Amino acid sequence: AAPGDVVEPLVPDLAPGPERVERLRFPAPLGTVALRVPTPLDVTVEIEGRRYATDREGRVRLPAPLAAATPVLLEVAAVDGRRGGALLDAAIEAEVAEAPVDLVPWEELGLRALGGRVRYRTTVHLPRSPAGRTLLDLGEVRGTAEIHVNGAPAGRRVWGPWTVEVTDALKAGDNDIEIVVSGTLAGYLDDASPTRAVAAGQVRTGLFGPVRLRLVKE
């Protein structure tokens, strides 16, 4: 401390008072079918007006996958001196199922703070095999993209142009196309810190398209 400053001692909350209810809110990721709340305290989960009790492992299973960014309210019976996020022993875990999705920023999918990956899949029907060189054009991407066509790796892109040649991977009939987009920790750091290390626009992540197959004329 600088001369003249007063340093206040930090004393643990040894007398937290009577039991109280604390409320925590967060948006659930698209397709959430189960949540695990890591705390030994009693928790009630409220989603769209319906209340659920967690099991012994802190889990609750939902009757149907949730829409993107569905608000979740946790009511925690606090009996010690912890408050806010300190009521949890670790990060909340979400189990998700595949769900139809628009090509929008991850933030709109309830994944603003995700520092991991999102897998996009679609099936394209071709009446016949391509007659020439064919490119898969991803349009706009924020992150890195790994592409598979019919189960085989077709390429990885970390910057534009977001195109890969897929001529030899395509066939007549149905073709499965999978694009895995990896994000950064920008959203997490911006929420958890905040920090000057995150520049404007870095939180925006996702596959935005339009995703097209383009025949290249020689």
Side-chain angles (χ1 to χ4, degrees):
D5 287 350
V6 176
V7 178
E8 295 291 341
L10 297 178
V11 180
D13 193 352
L14 299 178
E19 180 178 330
R20 67 192 186 282
V21 174
E22 291 231 3
R23 294 172 174 83
L24 305 176
R25 293 176 173 83
F26 65 93
L30 172 68
T32 295
V33 294
L35 294 168
R36 178 178 176 270
V37 185
T39 179
L41 303 173
D42 291 336
V43 179
T44 300
V45 181
E46 182 175 327
I47 303 173
E48 297 181 324
R50 184 169 178 179
R51 297 169 68 86
Y52 305 87
T54 58
D55 63 17
R56 291 182 178 179
E57 296 182 345
R59 287 189 171 86
V60 57
R61 292 206 166 269
L62 307 176
L66 298 181
T70 298
V72 176
L73 171 65
L74 304 181
E75 291 188 349
V76 185
V79 295
D80 55 20
R82 295 183 293 171
R83 288 173 169 80
L87 293 165
L88 306 177
D89 293 339
I92 296 171
E93 299 174 10
E95 179 183 335
V96 299
E98 286 191 350
V101 64
D102 294 327
L103 299 184
V104 298
W106 285 4
E107 183 172 3
E108 296 182 27
L109 303 178
L111 298 171
R112 171 183 166 84
L114 177 67
R117 306 190 299 171
V118 172
R119 188 183 309 272
Y120 300 81
R121 298 201 307 174
T122 190
T123 300
V124 177
H125 182 82
L126 299 177
R128 57 182 178 276
S129 298
R133 291 184 58 223
T134 304
L135 300 180
L136 177 64
D137 186 342
L138 304 183
E140 181 187 359
V141 179
R142 292 298 297 270
T144 63
E146 185 175 342
I147 302 98
H148 287 74
V149 178
N150 293 323
R156 181 183 292 112
R157 294 294 180 267
V158 298
W159 55 68
W162 301 97
T163 58
V164 293
E165 183 169 349
V166 293
T167 307
D168 295 336
L170 296 174
K171 62 182 181 180
D174 289 340
N175 292 267
D176 296 324
I177 297 176
E178 180 179 285
I179 303 160
V180 179
V181 175
S182 300
T184 69
L185 289 174
Y188 170 77
L189 293 174
D190 195 47
D191 282 351
S193 303
T195 172
R196 293 183 180 179
V198 179
Q202 285 186 315
V203 172
R204 184 171 180 264
T205 307
L207 171 63
F208 304 105
V211 179
R212 302 175 296 171
L213 287 173
R214 293 197 291 111
L215 187 64
V216 179
K217 296 182 179 180
E218 302 290 342

